[in-house]
Amino acid sequence: RGGRKAAAMGVIIGDGPTKFSFIEYQALMVCLAAAIGIGLLSLEFGMRRFLVLPTLFPGMFSVRERRLYFFDFEIKDAVIADRCRSQAKALLRMTLCVVMSYLWQRCVLETQQQVGLDFPSAMCDQDMDCFASELHIETLMTRQYEALDCSGDRAPFTKNAVVSCIRFVKPAATEWLMHVAIAHAVFQLNIKCYEVFSQVAGNSRWVRALIGALLLCSAISLLSLFFAGVMAEFVSSWLSFVMTFSIPLFLWTVWKTSKIFQELSLRSAQEMQRSLEDRFNSALANMPASDLDELGRSSRDQRQPIKISKLASARRVIESRLAGLPKMRGIANLRTASGANMKPGNSPLARGANDQEEMETLRDETESRKESI
C-alpha cells in the first residue's frame, strides 16, 4: 500500500520517486501545443498581412510590375493563384510544427517512450522521470499512470506497458545556439526541397509518378504499423512522431504543386502557339498576291490565315526577301534600294511598310521565331 500511495502521489503532485508529477508533465505538453498554436497564428497573420511568400520561396514566387509569377509563369487566374499559395502555406505550417517540436525536444523538455516488458534502465540512468501505463486503448480515457522508482528494483513488467520518460534539458547557450542553427537548416532544407521537387516533378511525368508511388508507400506503411500495434516501437518521442507524419504530408504537397506547374506550363505553351499563329497570319496578310501564290494562293481575294504546316514556307519567303535588303535610313533610301534590286512594284516591303521601323520589326520577329517554327 505504501508503494502504491507514493506512486499515486508522484502522479498527482510529484511527491515520490519522480521529481514532478505526470499531471505537470501533461501541463508542459499543453504548453508545447500552445506554443505551436501561437506560432501558427503568427504565421497566418504574417502571410495575410504581408507579402512573405516571395521572400520565403524566392525560386517559386516573384512579383514583377505588380504581377505574380509562379516559376516564371505569370498567374492571371485568381483560382490558380489561390491554389499555389495554399500549397506553399501548407508546407510552411508543417515545417513550423517540425521545427518547434525539435526545439522543444532539444532545448526545453526531452521525452522518450518505449513499449514492452523491459524496465527503462537506460532512461533511468539518464536521470529521467518515468511513468508506466498498461498498453490498452482504455488508457487514453482513464489516464492511469504509475510513477516508476528508478532507485529501486528494476524488474521487468508482467504485462506489456507503455513507459514515458521525461526530463528538463539543462540550459546551455552553446547547445541552444547549435540547435537553433539546426532548426534553421531544417527549415531551409524543407523549403528548397519543396521548390526543386515541385519543379522537377512538374516537368517530368515519371518523377511525378515516382513521388505519387512514394506517397502511397509511406501512407500504407504508417497504416500497417498502426494496425499491427508496433507504431510505438518506431515512434519513441513526440519529435519522431511529428517527423514521421510529416513525410507523407510533404510528398502530398509536392505532388499537388507539380500538377499546378504542369497545368501552367501547358497554358503557357498554348498561348505561345496562338501568339505565333497570330504574328505570322498578320505578316502574311500584308504580303502581295504574288508572294501568296508562292505559298499556294491563287488570287488576292483568297488571303486567309494559313495553317502551321505552311508557316515554314512563309518564313523562307520572308527571309529570302529580307536577305537582299540592307538596312537603310529614310524612306527615300528604302525606295532607291528597292528599285535598284528588284522590279518596280514587286517588293513586298515597298508595299506593306511605310517606314524603316516596320522593316526592322519584321526582320527581328522573323529571326526570333525562326527556331520556334
Side-chain angles (χ1 to χ4, degrees), residues 287-297 313 316-317 320-321:
M287 294 179 64
S290 58
D291 295 323
L292 291 177
D293 291 338
E294 298 181 17
L295 300 174
R297 302 303 182 186
S313 301
R316 288 194 295 268
V317 172
S320 64
R321 299 290 183 178

Side-chain angles (χ1 to χ4, degrees), residues 321 324-326 328 331-347 350:
R321 299 290 183 178
L325 294 179
M328 295 294 178
I331 302 300
N333 293 335
L334 176 61
R335 291 175 178 175
T336 303
S338 302
N341 293 333
M342 54 188 69
K343 297 180 180 180
N346 255 355
S347 172

Side-chain angles (χ1 to χ4, degrees), residues 70-74 76 260-276 369:
F70 179 79
F71 285 116
D72 293 334
F73 296 118
E74 182 182 356
K76 301 178 181 179
I260 299 175
F261 182 91
Q262 181 191 24
E263 182 179 351
L264 290 176
S265 62
L266 290 177
R267 288 192 178 187
S268 178
Q270 292 174 357
E271 291 178 358
M272 184 178 298
Q273 188 76 8
R274 287 194 296 267
S275 176
L276 182 63
R369 302 297 180 181

Side-chain angles (χ1 to χ4, degrees), residues 237-359:
S237 64
W238 171 254
L239 177 61
S240 60
F241 175 81
V242 173
M243 294 186 66
T244 300
F245 280 89
S246 67
I247 294 176
L249 292 178
F250 177 82
L251 294 175
W252 171 252
T253 306
V254 169
W255 188 80
K256 293 189 69 175
T257 307
S258 65
K259 296 291 289 183
I260 299 175
F261 182 91
Q262 181 191 24
E263 182 179 351
L264 290 176
S265 62
L266 290 177
R267 288 192 178 187
S268 178
Q270 292 174 357
E271 291 178 358
M272 184 178 298
Q273 188 76 8
R274 287 194 296 267
S275 176
L276 182 63
E277 294 179 9
D278 294 342
R279 287 179 179 272
F280 271 94
N281 290 333
S282 177
L284 293 174
N286 295 326
M287 294 179 64
S290 58
D291 295 323
L292 291 177
D293 291 338
E294 298 181 17
L295 300 174
R297 302 303 182 186
S298 58
S299 63
R300 294 175 180 267
D301 297 332
Q302 295 178 349
R303 296 180 187 176
Q304 297 178 356
I306 65 175
K307 297 181 179 180
I308 293 299
S309 60
K310 295 184 179 181
L311 290 180
S313 301
R315 176 179 60 80
R316 288 194 295 268
V317 172
I318 296 175
E319 287 182 350
S320 64
R321 299 290 183 178
L322 294 177
L325 294 179
K327 292 185 178 181
M328 295 294 178
R329 294 185 178 180
I331 302 300
N333 293 335
L334 176 61
R335 291 175 178 175
T336 303
S338 302
N341 293 333
M342 54 188 69
K343 297 180 180 180
N346 255 355
S347 172
L349 293 178
R351 294 182 180 183
N354 294 326
D355 51 14
Q356 180 195 5
E357 181 179 1
E358 184 171 352
M359 182 188 68

Side-chain angles (χ1 to χ4, degrees), residues 65-109:
E65 299 179 354
R66 303 179 66 86
R67 296 179 180 179
L68 180 63
Y69 287 83
F70 179 79
F71 285 116
D72 293 334
F73 296 118
E74 182 182 356
I75 303 179
K76 301 178 181 179
D77 192 351
V79 177
I80 297 181
D82 292 337
R83 289 169 56 191
C84 296
R85 286 193 293 262
S86 63
Q87 296 304 317
K89 291 178 181 179
L91 181 81
L92 285 177
R93 298 185 192 103
M94 183 202 68
T95 305
L96 179 65
C97 292
V98 173
V99 168
M100 295 195 68
S101 299
Y102 174 82
L103 292 176
W104 183 271
Q105 175 81 12
R106 300 302 180 184
C107 298
V108 181
L109 186 68

Side-chain angles (χ1 to χ4, degrees), residues 61-272:
F61 295 98
S62 61
V63 178
R64 308 169 194 169
E65 299 179 354
R66 303 179 66 86
R67 296 179 180 179
L68 180 63
Y69 287 83
F70 179 79
F71 285 116
D72 293 334
F73 296 118
E74 182 182 356
I75 303 179
K76 301 178 181 179
D77 192 351
V79 177
I80 297 181
D82 292 337
R83 289 169 56 191
C84 296
R85 286 193 293 262
S86 63
Q87 296 304 317
K89 291 178 181 179
L91 181 81
L92 285 177
R93 298 185 192 103
M94 183 202 68
T95 305
L96 179 65
C97 292
V98 173
V99 168
M100 295 195 68
S101 299
Y102 174 82
L103 292 176
W104 183 271
Q105 175 81 12
R106 300 302 180 184
C107 298
V108 181
L109 186 68
E110 182 180 358
T111 61
Q112 294 292 334
Q113 191 176 57
Q114 75 174 29
V115 179
L117 299 175
D118 297 332
F119 191 88
S121 300
M123 301 176 187
C124 288
D125 294 338
Q126 297 177 7
D127 198 20
M128 303 182 72
D129 293 339
C130 297
F131 302 88
S133 62
E134 185 180 356
L135 182 59
H136 198 275
I137 191 64
E138 294 181 357
T139 305
L140 298 175
M141 304 300 297
T142 59
R143 301 288 181 177
Q144 293 181 357
Y145 291 88
E146 180 181 356
L148 299 181
D149 188 4
C150 292
S151 60
D153 186 16
R154 299 185 178 183
F157 303 105
T158 58
K159 296 181 180 180
N160 284 333
V162 178
V163 180
S164 301
C165 298
I166 56 177
R167 71 170 179 179
F168 282 103
V169 179
K170 294 181 180 180
T174 55
E175 294 291 332
W176 285 359
L177 181 61
M178 179 187 68
H179 291 303
V180 168
I182 293 175
H184 178 266
V186 171
F187 185 84
Q188 293 295 328
L189 178 64
N190 281 359
I191 290 179
K192 295 304 178 183
C193 289
Y194 172 65
E195 291 180 347
V196 173
F197 290 165
S198 298
Q199 187 174 18
V200 173
N203 287 320
S204 175
R205 181 180 60 184
W206 297 106
V207 176
R208 187 165 58 254
L210 177 61
I211 291 178
L214 292 175
L215 170 63
L216 185 61
C217 291
S218 61
I220 293 176
S221 300
L222 289 178
L223 292 176
S224 300
L225 292 175
F226 177 78
F227 287 107
V230 294
M231 175 66 75
E233 297 181 5
F234 292 88
V235 181
S236 59
S237 64
W238 171 254
L239 177 61
S240 60
F241 175 81
V242 173
M243 294 186 66
T244 300
F245 280 89
S246 67
I247 294 176
L249 292 178
F250 177 82
L251 294 175
W252 171 252
T253 306
V254 169
W255 188 80
K256 293 189 69 175
T257 307
S258 65
K259 296 291 289 183
I260 299 175
F261 182 91
Q262 181 191 24
E263 182 179 351
L264 290 176
S265 62
L266 290 177
R267 288 192 178 187
S268 178
Q270 292 174 357
E271 291 178 358
M272 184 178 298

